Structure formats: C-alpha cells, structure tokens
Amino acid sequence: MISIRDARSDDAEQVLALWAVAAENDDRPPDDPDVVHALLARDAGALLLAHERDEIVGTLVAGWDGWRAHLYRLAVHPAHRRRGVATTLVDAAERRLVALGARRLDAMVLEGNTHGQALWRHVGFHPQDRWRRWVRPTI
Ligand SMILES: CC(C)(COP(=O)(O)OP(=O)(O)OC[C@H]1O[C@@H](n2cnc3c(N)ncnc32)[C@H](O)[C@@H]1OP(=O)(O)O)[C@@H](O)C(=O)NCCC(=O)NCCS
C-alpha cells in the first residue's frame, strides 16, 4: 500500500540514497543534504514522498514560487516501478499546487528519456515545441 506524505529534514539521507539509484541524474549539479534542508526550510510541503511501510520508494518536488508550479525530481525506486507510484505522486502534487493557486504545471524532461516522457504523457502533459530552457550556474 503506497502512501504519500511531506518530507521532513531527517528524510534527507534516505531521499539522497533513493535519488542515487532512481533519479534522472544527467546534466545537473550534485546533491547533498543541505539542498534538501534548504528546500524544506523554504517550503516545508514541497517535497512529496511515496512510502510503503518505512521505505521511501518515490519522490516528487512540487515547487510553487507564487507564480509558477514546477514539478521535478520525480523518481521511483526501480523495484517499485509500474505500480502507479509516479502517477500517485503527480496526483498529490497537483492537489497541493492547485490549492496554492497554480493554473498550469510544468516538468523538465530530458530528450531521450523515453520512460519519463511516457509517464508525463500518461498523466496528461505534452511537450512545448517553441520553448527551450536557458540556464547558467550562479556566480
Ligand atoms: C519514469 C518513472 C518516474 C515512472 O514511475 P512509475 O511509478 O513506474 O510510473 P507509473 O507506474 O505511475 O506509470 C504510469 C504510466 O506511465 C507510463 N510509463 C511509466 N513508466 C514507463 C516505462 N518505463 N515505459 C513505458 N511507459 C511507462 C505507462 O503508461 C504507465 O502505465 P502502465 O504501467 O499502466 O502501462 C520511473 O521509471 C523513474 O523513476 N525513472 C527514472 C527517473 C526518471 O526518469 N524520472 C522522470 C524525470 S522527467
């Protein structure tokens, strides 16, 4: 039985361990506990965890900055995939973000991540053709 709850600071190590084996880890800065603590200090309800008994089996960050709603770090442990965990996380994130005022949700999905693309299509998302994300690291 999968349940969803908000992450706490003391979940950080287990979340990082899950991300190490389950997340889309290409082309992004490395993680450490401080980034998780900083996220939860900024927005205590932003990191959603799927758990079964005491094991964290999935994560999703449902970020809301007052203007936009961003979904990221969707990751499900390989042993728990194709059981609806990601779908359940996205449903929970949508409830949170709509309650906060979101009118649209977005997710970054790597070109070539066919599994990720299949999941996002399954939950009703589609790629935007005319936009690309522009980035640079902070100085
Ligand atoms: C992508 C990911 C989050 C999916 O998690 P999940 O819990 O297995 O997804 P769900 O069980 O909710 O899948 C719902 C539907 O999405 C689609 N889907 C999910 N994974 C798929 C896969 N590997 N291949 C094809 N379709 C897939 C299917 O339509 C599926 O429905 P079905 O099982 O009835 O066919 C998981 O594979 C994962 O963590 N991958 C590595 C990290 C990653 O790529 N995250 C996404 C970043 S954008």
Side-chain angles (χ1 to χ4, degrees):
M1 175 72 177
I2 300 294
S3 304
I4 306 294
R5 68 167 172 83
D6 295 349
R8 305 177 300 260
S9 273
D10 62 0
D11 293 313
E13 295 290 351
Q14 210 181 328
V15 166
L16 293 176
L18 175 66
W19 286 347
V21 298
E24 181 183 72
N25 289 321
D26 289 355
D27 196 21
R28 63 173 172 78
D31 295 317
D32 60 54
D34 286 348
V35 299
V36 177
H37 297 151
L39 172 67
L40 298 182
R42 170 81 174 77
D43 183 351
L47 175 53
L48 301 175
L49 303 182
H51 66 100
E52 191 165 44
R53 292 179 289 278
D54 289 338
E55 185 188 3
I56 296 171
V57 300
T59 67
L60 178 60
V61 177
W64 171 246
D65 61 15
W67 190 271
R68 289 186 178 161
H70 301 291
L71 299 176
Y72 48 100
R73 293 305 170 91
L74 176 61
V76 175
H77 190 284
H80 294 272
R81 290 180 183 167
R82 303 306 286 271
R83 299 175 55 207
V85 175
T87 302
T88 303
L89 280 161
V90 174
D91 288 347
E94 179 165 17
R95 285 194 296 277
R96 161 181 160 76
L97 293 165
V98 167
L100 289 169
R103 298 177 180 181
R104 185 174 66 173
L105 311 178
D106 68 51
M108 298 294 303
V109 188
L110 273 179
E111 295 291 338
N113 183 349
T114 53
H115 298 170
Q117 290 174 9
L119 179 281
W120 288 112
R121 286 189 194 280
H122 176 79
V123 293
F125 287 58
H126 65 274
Q128 288 186 305
D129 294 330
R130 295 191 303 135
W131 293 86
R132 293 185 64 81
R133 186 166 72 154
W134 290 35
V135 300
R136 78 163 166 76
T138 50
I139 299 166

